[in-house]
């Protein structure tokens, strides 16, 4: 992992997907290209008819394209993808502390019963 907390492989995949959907090689994706890119990366975005409201995607655009210029740059896209990948990641100290709290008597493992408590 690098300083972003995301693996190099993930960063390469994000970049490759952006370049794949940047058909005109402009260094930016229009909103439809961006949506297709997210879907190809596994985002479960609902299918909506042209012109119909899409609150889930609009919420994403609020983060990625707040000025609504109609495009998402590579930099904006990468920042969004990194933030999504790391939003639930805790520090190793927090993870170890949680593990110690679950494992009884300092064992190096957690039983199924301990997880369900």
């Amino acid at each position: 992992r690098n300083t972003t907390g995301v693996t190099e492989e993930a960063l390469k995949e994000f970049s490759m997907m952006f370049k794949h959907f940047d058909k005109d090689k402009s260094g930016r994706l229009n909103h439809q290209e961006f949506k297709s890119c997210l879907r190809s990366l596994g985002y479960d975005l609902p299918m909506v008819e042209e012109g119909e409201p899409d609150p889930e995607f609009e919420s994403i655009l609020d983060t990625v394209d707040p000025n609504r210029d109609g495009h998402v740059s590579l930099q904006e896209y990468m920042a969004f993808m990194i933030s999504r990948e790391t939003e639930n990641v805790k520090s190793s100290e927090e993870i170890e502390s949680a593990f110690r709290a679950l494992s009884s008597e300092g064992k190096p493992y957690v039983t199924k019963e301990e997880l369900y408590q």
Side-chain angles (χ1 to χ4, degrees):
R1 293 189 184 271
N2 61 23
T3 57
T4 65
V6 179
T7 64
E8 290 295 324
E9 293 80 31
L11 292 173
K12 285 179 188 172
E13 180 183 9
F14 298 157
S15 180
M16 282 179 17
M17 292 306 274
F18 183 94
K19 289 174 184 170
H20 173 77
F21 285 94
D22 181 17
K23 301 289 186 207
D24 63 357
K25 307 295 183 225
S26 65
R28 56 192 197 163
L29 302 177
N30 67 37
H31 289 173
Q32 196 55 48
E33 291 168 333
F34 176 57
K35 188 182 227 180
S36 297
C37 183
L38 290 179
R39 282 198 175 113
S40 71
L41 287 165
Y43 281 75
D44 187 23
L45 295 169
M47 298 298 285
V48 296
E49 294 294 322
E50 185 77 31
E52 290 293 312
D54 189 352
E56 193 172 335
F57 186 61
E58 291 296 319
S59 174
I60 291 171
L61 288 177
D62 287 343
T63 302
V64 181
D65 187 21
N67 65 357
R68 288 298 208 276
D69 66 3
H71 294 92
V72 176
S73 70
L74 177 60
Q75 183 178 357
E76 291 168 330
Y77 164 81
M78 291 300 283
F80 171 76
M81 295 306 296
I82 290 167
S83 72
R84 283 294 170 108
E85 287 293 306
T86 60
E87 68 185 4
N88 293 321
V89 174
K90 305 288 185 200
S91 72
S92 61
E93 294 82 18
E94 290 175 296
I95 293 170
E96 288 176 31
S97 176
F99 180 85
R100 281 194 292 285
L102 288 174
S103 74
S104 59
E105 303 166 16
K107 297 181 299 207
Y109 58 89
V110 176
T111 66
K112 181 169 60 172
E113 291 77 24
E114 290 168 332
L115 279 176
Y116 286 110
Q117 288 179 359

